[in-house]
Structure formats: C-alpha cells, structure tokens
Amino acid sequence: MRGASAAVSLSRVSLPTRQQSAQQARHPEGVSEEEFRAAMTRLAGGVVLVTAHDPEDGPHGAAAGMTATAFLSVSLDPPLVLVSVRTGSRMDELLERQPLWAASLLAEGQRAIAGRFAMKGRLSDRLLFTEVPHEVGSISGAPLVEGALAAVECRTEQRVPAGDHTLVVARVLATTLRPVTGGPLTYYQGSYRRLG
C-alpha cells in the first residue's frame, strides 16, 4: 500500500519541460545581463545632470557632474527624489560625504551636455563646467544648468545598496522652474531623443 500511494504522489508532480530546463541551466538566477539591458533600453527615461560641489577638490573645491536616466520622484509629502549611481564611481563617493546636491532636468536641446558628462575617460569636470552655462544653487552650492526645464536642490536622507548601484534618496529643499520652450531630453534604445 505504501508503494502505491508513493507512486500516485509522484505522478502528480509536474516536471519541467525541456525548454524550461534549458533556460534554468542557462540562467539559474534570472536573465543574463545582455537580456536585461536589451529589455530596459525599451523603457524611455528623462535625462538629468546630477551635480555637487566637492569641497575637497582643490583649494576652493570644484563642481562635479554625472548624467543620469535613473532619476525619479518618490514622495510628495515630504518631497523626495531618488537617483541611482554606480557604486564606487566618483559621484557615488562624492555623494557619500557631500549630502547636498542638485539635479537639472535637461531640455531636448541639451543633448551635448548629457553626452559630455556621460563619457568615460572624459575631460575633468572642472573643464567641462567652463563650457556649460550654469548658476550655483543657493542651498546646495551645486551647478544648476541654464536652459534646463527645471532644477531641484536636494539633501541626501538615505543610501541603499542595490546590486552594482547605490540608490540615493534625497529631500528636495528648493526648486527652480524656467519657462518651457521645448520638451524634455529623453533616453531610449541607447540614444538621446526628443519626446514625440
């Protein structure tokens, strides 16, 4: 009797198909980096320039910047935003010791600015900012890009490790709104684009 009931129990177990077995063998913990990247390039995102003043760079400090597409509003009350920065990057290291920073929401005509601050092996940020019209935020001391659709000045409230990135959650302390003459700069399928 025991043998018969065991046989019945085993017959009810659903076995994976060959295709499922092959996928599990190829990606035991989920999708590959290439598959994930290919899927995420189909998600359009706004482009911001994250900036901060580095007081330890030179005798008077210097501005630092990073192009980001992983930037979003988190909460209205209190006003919170989130930006994702690569762990161990210059901006990650700076935002770990400098709680005040800013983000300029780039307009469609500011593709060159986004590209310059996203390049690997680029010129120093000090030189790049000499070519980017900006004002200094009164609260953050960070550059606010002229011609951007808006800018927010922030203070970090929380840092959350997330894989190879750090999620920086910050309270918005001030906003700068400018007249809108065009749309936002977006990033889609690996390139900067206009909306629409």
Side-chain angles (χ1 to χ4, degrees):
M1 215 36 145
R2 286 185 184 169
S5 65
V8 170
S9 297
L10 286 175
S11 68
R12 293 184 184 158
V13 175
S14 62
L15 298 173
T17 65
R18 283 185 187 172
Q19 184 180 10
Q20 289 171 331
S21 296
Q23 287 175 342
Q24 288 172 353
R26 201 174 62 225
H27 310 298
E29 296 181 13
V31 299
S32 69
E33 186 177 318
E34 293 78 22
E35 289 170 325
F36 179 64
R37 182 181 289 118
M40 290 300 98
T41 62
R42 298 189 179 190
L43 176 65
V47 183
V48 302
L49 185 65
V50 176
T51 57
H53 177 76
D54 185 352
E56 297 177 13
D57 187 353
H60 305 292
M66 175 198 86
T67 302
T69 56
F71 179 85
L72 56 99
S73 160
V74 173
S75 166
L76 191 59
D77 184 17
L80 298 175
V81 293
L82 176 149
V83 67
S84 177
V85 297
R86 181 172 290 281
T87 302
S89 66
R90 183 178 188 307
M91 188 58 72
D92 179 46
E93 183 273 326
L94 175 55
L95 295 185
E96 187 171 21
R97 57 185 168 80
Q98 167 59 284
L100 296 174
W101 53 278
S104 296
L105 286 60
L106 299 182
E108 60 190 8
Q110 296 179 312
R111 183 180 304 197
I113 293 172
R116 285 184 191 136
F117 283 92
M119 286 188 329
K120 292 180 181 176
R122 64 183 190 239
L123 296 171
S124 74
D125 288 359
R126 187 187 303 269
L127 291 175
L128 286 176
F129 276 111
T130 62
E131 300 175 5
V132 175
H134 64 277
E135 59 187 79
V136 175
S138 60
I139 294 175
S140 64
L144 309 179
V145 178
E146 289 182 17
L149 301 178
V152 291
E153 294 185 78
C154 310
R155 182 185 64 236
T156 298
E157 297 216 333
Q158 189 176 7
R159 290 171 53 85
V160 182
D164 58 2
H165 278 64
T166 301
L167 306 180
V168 181
V169 180
R171 182 181 293 254
V172 175
L173 305 175
T175 61
T176 302
L177 298 175
R178 297 192 171 91
V180 177
T181 56
L185 181 64
T186 60
Y187 191 73
Y188 179 67
Q189 289 196 322
S191 62
Y192 298 114
R193 301 174 187 248
R194 294 174 173 224
L195 190 65

